[in-house]
Amino acid sequence: MPFSDDHSSKHTADHSLSETNGDLTPGQLPDHVYNATLPPWRAAIHTHLVKTIAQESVLIACLQTLLCHPWLDKYFLYSMLGTHFFMIALSPVLFFFGYPEVGRGLVVVLASGVYFSFIKDLVCSPRPFAPPVTRLSV
């Protein structure tokens, strides 16, 4: 039976809980779930990526402790600088003020990011693990 996004009680009983937060976290289910539902080549890539992300999460957490400051956290959290919404809102301004090359470059980078994000979905790659990484969200 393929795994679906429906986390009803019959599905929850078949899967062990995530060690980090006690619930079913997308991309961090037990390996047997991905081995049973994904083609072998996608399951192998997923297993490799999860190991790599576990190592990189520690590195990201170290960087966060070095660069973390409450003022900076609030600034980036509420200013939305670096989000796709801010970049989309910025692109017409670049064209208006006479920087069409920069505007086109920004649009190409944003469109490429959206287009190639299917690779992450293809192999069910998770986000960096929290903890140790601290996620900022409103």
Side-chain angles (χ1 to χ4, degrees):
M1 176 167 95
F3 179 76
S4 68
D5 289 335
D6 177 31
H7 297 303
S8 62
S9 61
K10 67 179 180 175
H11 291 297
T12 307
D14 296 335
H15 309 300
S16 65
L17 298 177
S18 172
E19 296 176 2
T20 57
N21 58 9
D23 63 350
L24 294 173
T25 305
Q28 297 181 35
L29 297 173
D31 283 339
H32 68 84
V33 174
Y34 299 103
N35 292 336
T37 58
L38 295 177
W41 65 273
R42 285 173 58 190
I45 293 172
H46 172 80
T47 302
H48 177 71
L49 284 177
V50 168
K51 291 175 186 174
T52 304
I53 290 171
Q55 295 169 351
E56 291 174 351
S57 294
V58 175
L59 178 64
I60 292 171
C62 291
L63 287 172
Q64 281 183 331
T65 57
L66 291 173
L67 303 173
C68 184
H69 189 277
W71 185 86
L72 287 174
D73 291 347
K74 288 180 185 174
Y75 176 74
F76 285 109
L77 186 64
Y78 295 113
S79 70
M80 295 177 58
L81 289 177
T83 63
H84 67 280
F85 179 76
F86 177 79
M87 296 299 172
I88 290 170
L90 179 68
S91 62
V93 174
L94 293 171
F95 286 97
F96 180 78
F97 285 112
Y99 297 100
E101 299 86 17
V102 177
R104 276 192 295 275
L106 179 63
V107 169
V108 167
V109 168
L110 289 171
S112 299
V114 170
Y115 181 74
F116 289 113
S117 69
F118 81 91
I119 295 171
K120 183 178 179 206
D121 296 334
L122 184 69
V123 295
C124 303
S125 178
R127 292 182 172 267
F129 301 144
V133 175
T134 304
R135 293 186 183 153
L136 297 177
S137 60
V138 178

